Amino acid sequence: MHLEKVYEPQQFEPRWAERWVEAGIFRAALGAPGPVFSLAIPPPNVTGSLHIGHMLEHTEIDVTIRWRRMRGDNTLWLPGTDHAGIATQMLVERKLVEEGLDRRSVGREAFEQRVWAWKERYGDTIKRQMIRLGASCDWSRERFTLDPGLSRAVREAFVRLHEKGLIYRGEYMVNWCPRCHTALSDLEVIHDETPGNLWHIRYPVNDSPRSLVVATTRPETMLGDTAVAVNPRDERYRDLHGKTVRLPLMDRDIPIILDEVADPEFATGVVKVTPAHDPNDFEAGRRHNLPKVKVIDESGRMTPEAGRYAGLDRFEARKRVLADLDRLGLIEKVDPYQLSLGKCQRCKTPVEPLVSIQWFVRTKPLAEPAIRAVEDGRIRFIPENWTKTYYEWMYNIRDWCISRQLWWGHRIPAWYCADCGETTVARETPAACSKCRSGRLEQDPDVLDTWFSSGLWPFSTLGWPDQTEDLRTFYPTSLLITGFDILFFWVARMIMMGLECAGDVPFREVYIHGLVRDAERQKMSKTRGNVVDPLEITEKYGTDAVRMSLLLGAAPGTDVVLTEERILSARAFANKIWNAARFLFLNMERSGVEPWAPEEPALHMPEPAGPGAETALEDRWIFSRLNRAVDLASRAIDRYRYHEAAQLVWQFFWHEFCDWYVEIKKLRFRENSGLDAHWRNTLTVFDTGLRMLHPIMPFLSEELWQRLAGGLPGRPASIALARYPEYGEEVSDPEAERQMEILREIVTAARNLRADMKLDPRQQLEALLYARGAARDVARTQSEAIQKLANIRLDLRDETAPATSEGALRSTPEFDLLLRVPQAQTEVRRQRLEKEIEQLEKVIAGSQRQLANPEFLNRAPAPVVASLRQKLADYEAQLAKSREALAALN
RNA sequence: GGGCGCGUGGCUCAGUUGGUUAGAGCGCCUGCUUCACACGCAGGAGGUCACAGGUUCAAGUCCUGUCGCGCCCACCA
């Protein structure tokens, strides 16, 4: 059993990724036909467009799935963003690449056919996953039409909502992207603070010497003005009520209306009304029955209605309008003005509010139950403060424009009759008009907003609208893990759709993680283009290292900064474990130990070495520590505190197992041979530790676990199928922990002194140890370990340490350690002692002050007072010794 | 305009109900190629927890205000 000297994940990660996926291991493990599917994120050597922003999410999902499964949760399903979709994509593309194909060279049609064929071939279990779960990933959105199951669910939902009057078609002001040529929902419009101008334009009033000055940020829309509005309470314009103004440039007479849209406080208090190009004006126009004059078209060009400006681009038209107004002397003034300009989320083109006929979801009736579900705790947000954001949005929700004029997506299941104009909404393509029975029907060319179908995801993937076994078993799903940037787009809509269509909440808990940021703290996102290629970095450092570094930073409610340095240190951790294993394997060979592993499932207390023999201190200690770590890590993962779990595991493996346990065991292995108690204990700890590590670093733990005792009869085929270790009260050993603590203090004291004196670490020194109480036992029983770890020769004494100038002294309440050092070191020792004394004096003064306060003694709980007293006594004893030692030097 | 969050050693951050001399990783300094690991070992320096008040026996932790930074939502021309 030979391990390379350096951890090289590339050599085993692809193999495990392959096996886990192909064995459908999570599915198989559940023993139920559920759609749980997880992919260690991301599998190396796979082409695909997974980006780093998803990795945190995928990692957290994967950790949770692995952990819960190892804990025996059998009805788990996490509808994680598009992790399954991406898994699909990567697997499929990988397969195709193996066949020497890629999208570009093959052409879309042929590629799609092959994808489909491959999905068919892939096997029943995964196939359904692929087909269903692939739906929410960008790439597979293009092939909704290939997916009869999902299309059926979407139509079903649309028709149901329509029947209940929750979907309507109407003329409304929508955000229109002139470049993408599609309507956008409010959420798809991003607002930018942009410097602009506020132009004051004079409109002459008919039959009056006066004129009205309107203020606008968009002068070109004046061509479509059909009124000007003043506030009815505005005294300044009372005499003009009922009159008309002459619209400059267009020479059209338009009325002066009284409406609240005009704020007397703002600018001149007069607002121009353009019902066709401004949402507010649209509403005002409705109230006053104003005509809508559309002067800008779907491409952002001026329409024939714009008269001589027809055909001009909207921004060009603005310049011309301003120039013309200026020539006529109608521009009163121009003020610089910050305006929040709406832009298309995808292409950043300024959106144009346009009146058009679109499909809408009536959201108020859907939002109410969705709010209640969170209020009464059927859905819980983690961290909790997101609930407030959720409420804010839900209480102020506006109707949702769901029709899109894109070429991919689900077609809207509505048909228009060419004869009578009737609209027929149906699950199946209708043969004839529902009203006049005409056969001349045409389907609405628009498709649905992608979030409409995504909103159905938690149940459409389970076979809805059929009442399938999967749906019964796994709905509502357990947990949704996602980013807050998608809270409104997706989470809120899943909740609304789930309650409406599936009759229950789509999930019980929503864990919201932070965003992954780069070294400059920029959000990583596809549209921003600053994404790290996860395949590249995982190829370079290993999947586990990337996972570990993400998890260490994944405190709930905070963003994760991912830098190369962090990944580097995580890789170092992986290497550390790798080499600990390497050390064990080498020694097993040397001692003739055959592969051996403890029985499943739990953390076992080791057997004693033999009749009359005692269990070694380091064994009792490490089991107790591991027991504790397992307990805390488990609870941390359970509460989505991944960073705590990662840190605990790190601390245990590196600073307890490697730094102390293995170091002490080196002594034992040197003399022994065969599978004795030492080996059984060591292997048990390592095996258990790997299982604790597995959800966080699946590849490394799998590889080592397999090498450790993979082929043994009765062992699960994968560590992922083994049990997560569980806390056992009986394994907890506070006494061993206390003793080990003392041992470490003694060793550290010796190392400290040696380093202070700048002595060669290789030189063995003489030391006198004056141990008291518990330390006396430790000193007697563990002297061998202490001598080895500190590289000293111990001379045990019972009496209290004399103040001597013979060596350097380190004191604690339990022991005094006197290291014999050359006389020349007095100056260093003096400095050291002086510093120590200074520190002690400070702490003692503080403690004394507090203990002298009667309020403290009366009000503080007794244990707090007692422990402070104890501490003060210890400090004082130490101080006395340090002073004596200092005196002896002089 | 409303809502949320952040400000802790050079850097990136932990610190869950207030109670040991405030922690970690990276970086830095010193010494070590000790036969698992230099992606390592041992030791060390470095913080009045943004500022000002308040509550409390006790505050990085709770309250108020100030300053600085960020995010989200919102139809005010």
Side-chain angles (χ1 to χ4, degrees), chain A residues 155 158-159 162-163 359 413-415 423-428 430 434:
Chain A
R155 283 190 179 193
F158 189 95
V159 173
H162 184 260
E163 280 168 356
W359 288 94
W415 287 262
T423 301
T424 305
V425 169
R427 290 174 177 81
E428 303 298 332
S434 56

Side-chain angles (χ1 to χ4, degrees), chain A residues 488-562:
Chain A
F488 305 133
F489 276 116
W490 197 41
V491 179
R493 280 154 184 181
M494 281 197 287
I495 295 173
M496 292 192 287
M497 295 298 229
L499 287 164
E500 177 60 32
C501 297
D504 202 348
V505 294
F507 28 71
R508 303 285 185 206
E509 292 179 298
V510 182
Y511 171 74
I512 295 170
H513 59 70
L515 300 176
V516 177
R517 295 177 181 278
D518 64 16
E520 275 75 52
R521 313 217 77 250
Q522 289 290 305
K523 171 183 169 181
M524 289 189 186
S525 70
K526 241 184 282 188
T527 40
R528 205 169 294 219
N530 62 341
V531 297
V532 171
D533 183 351
L535 298 173
E536 205 176 286
I537 58 167
T538 52
E539 180 62 31
K540 201 164 161 194
Y541 302 111
T543 307
D544 288 341
V546 176
R547 286 170 66 112
M548 184 51 125
S549 63
L550 282 169
L551 289 171
L552 280 169
T558 61
D559 290 346
V560 179
V561 176
L562 190 71

